[in-house]
């Protein structure tokens, strides 16, 4: 019987260890350490916020720089376009001036040819009225007058072409 009691006692002791509640180990924190930890945590959170704000400001600054660069490119593009337009206008003006100069040149040429024709015809008529011309000389005179008339017509055609060109440019 003693033996039974001894075995039961050993069994109960082993069950007691098995079913015993474990007390969680709590660390005793020093209040100054916990304050340091919370302060460090707050400092890190504030630094994180500051870093985010700085990054945001930097991105905004970069965006402003990009906008300024785009605006500058557009301004240069508009300036180049205006310069091209101005060059085009100046070129048109030069063409118009050249066409006007051509008209003046052809008008002078027509006038010159007409004066020469009048002079030639007057000279021929004087000689003809005197009766000193042979039939061959009369034919040569008529041929020369006809050639002069052709020159006048050609000069007149050139003048007409120049006027059409000027009207087209305007």
């Amino acid at each position: 019987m003693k033996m039974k009691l001894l075995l039961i006692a050993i069994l109960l002791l082993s069950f007691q260890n098995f079913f015993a509640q474990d007390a969680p180990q709590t660390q005793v924190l020093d209040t100054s350490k916990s304050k340091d930890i919370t302060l460090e945590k707050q400092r890190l959170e504030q630094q994180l916020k500051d870093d985010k704000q700085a990054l945001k400001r930097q991105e905004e600054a970069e965006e402003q720089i990009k906008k300024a660069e785009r605006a500058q490119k557009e301004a240069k593009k508009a300036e180049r376009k205006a310069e091209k337009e101005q060059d085009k206008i100046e070129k048109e003006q030069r063409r118009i001036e050249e066409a006007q100069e051509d008209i003046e040149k052809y008008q002078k040429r027509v006038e010159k040819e007409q004066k020469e024709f009048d002079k030639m015809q007057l000279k021929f008529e004087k000689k003809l009225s005197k009766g000193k011309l042979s039939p061959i000389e009369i034919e040569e005179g008529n041929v020369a007058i006809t050639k002069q008339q052709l020159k006048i017509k050609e000069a007149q055609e050139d003048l007409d072409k120049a006027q059409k060109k000027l009207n087209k440019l305007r």
Side-chain angles (χ1 to χ4, degrees):
M1 175 94 187
K2 263 183 170 184
M3 189 81 146
K4 283 185 181 180
L5 283 176
L6 187 59
L7 280 174
I8 291 176
I10 291 175
L11 189 62
L12 284 175
L13 281 176
S14 64
F15 278 127
Q16 182 183 8
N17 282 340
F18 182 71
F19 288 113
Q21 291 182 354
D22 284 335
Q25 292 185 4
T26 58
Q27 285 184 336
V28 178
L29 293 177
D30 192 10
T31 56
S32 66
K33 283 185 180 178
S34 66
K35 285 182 183 178
D36 287 344
I37 291 172
T38 56
L39 287 174
E40 183 68 22
K41 185 178 177 183
Q42 287 175 353
R43 186 184 64 77
L44 290 174
E45 287 174 354
Q46 186 63 35
Q47 185 178 2
L48 181 63
K49 286 180 185 178
D50 291 343
D51 289 344
K52 284 182 180 179
Q53 287 177 350
L55 183 62
K56 189 175 181 180
R57 284 189 297 245
Q58 185 179 6
E59 288 174 353
E60 289 173 356
E62 288 174 359
E63 186 65 30
Q64 291 294 330
I65 290 171
K66 286 180 183 178
K67 284 182 182 178
E69 287 174 353
R70 276 188 237 126
Q72 191 175 19
K73 284 181 183 178
E74 288 177 12
K76 284 183 180 180
K77 189 176 181 181
E79 184 179 334
R80 276 185 258 134
K81 188 175 181 180
E83 287 176 1
K84 285 183 180 180
E85 278 296 318
Q86 186 65 30
D87 289 344
K88 189 176 180 181
I89 290 171
E90 289 174 1
K91 191 174 181 180
E92 281 296 317
Q93 289 296 328
R94 275 185 266 131
R95 285 183 180 171
I96 289 172
E97 289 173 6
E98 288 173 3
Q100 288 174 342
E101 289 173 3
D102 287 345
I103 288 174
E104 291 174 11
K105 180 177 79 172
Y106 290 127
Q107 283 175 341
K108 287 179 183 178
R109 183 173 159 206
V110 167
E111 289 173 7
K112 178 184 169 192
E113 296 294 337
Q114 186 65 40
K115 283 181 185 178
E116 193 172 321
F117 171 75
D118 291 341
K119 189 177 178 182
M120 187 182 291
Q121 192 172 10
L122 187 64
K123 196 175 190 184
F124 178 71
E125 286 176 5
K126 272 186 182 179
K127 286 183 181 179
L128 190 61
S129 66
K130 287 183 181 178
K132 294 183 179 179
L133 294 177
S134 67
I136 294 175
E137 291 175 340
I138 292 173
E139 282 301 315
E140 287 176 356
N142 285 334
V143 169
I145 289 173
T146 307
K147 284 183 180 178
Q148 191 60 33
Q149 286 175 337
L150 285 174
K151 286 183 180 179
I152 291 171
K153 286 189 180 191
E154 287 176 2
Q156 188 65 39
E157 287 175 1
D158 290 342
L159 177 63
D160 291 341
K161 286 181 185 177
Q163 286 176 340
K164 285 180 184 177
K165 182 179 177 182
L166 178 63
N167 290 337
K168 187 177 180 181
L169 289 174
R170 288 185 180 172

